Amino acid sequence: ELEVAQLVALGATNQEIAQKLFISESTVKTHLNPIFNRLSLKNRSQLAIFASAQDETNPKPHEAIDHLKINTD
């Protein structure tokens, strides 16, 4: 989910994300729903805005959404 969120925030399409991560577009969409729910967002545009806002206060944008990692314990 973290990699998908980061790529969406950079403006990548579902197809581009799927190609980069070697997953299907359907899997990309499957990852997006929990991201939107966790952050109370409605769409990828809001995710990009969220990440951009975090970037203004955090020089490492990938850390702005690190809390999206799934706990596998």
Side-chain angles (χ1 to χ4, degrees):
E1 288 181 4
L2 177 61
E3 290 173 306
V4 170
Q6 289 171 331
L7 291 168
V8 167
L10 293 172
T13 66
N14 288 353
Q15 182 178 14
E16 292 168 337
I17 295 167
Q19 289 173 348
K20 181 161 182 70
L21 300 179
F22 302 103
I23 59 177
S24 71
E25 285 186 62
S26 177
T27 301
V28 172
K29 292 175 186 178
T30 298
H31 286 305
L32 286 173
N33 287 324
I35 294 167
F36 295 150
N37 289 336
R38 230 177 258 129
L39 298 174
S40 299
L41 303 174
K42 295 179 183 176
N43 55 49
R44 64 193 309 118
S45 296
Q46 289 182 340
L47 177 57
I49 291 167
F50 172 84
S52 177
Q54 296 301 313
D55 190 31
E56 291 176 11
T57 60
N58 185 347
K60 297 177 183 174
H62 65 279
E63 292 178 5
I65 49 180
D66 274 350
H67 64 278
L68 294 174
K69 291 181 182 177
I70 297 175
N71 185 354
T72 57
D73 295 338

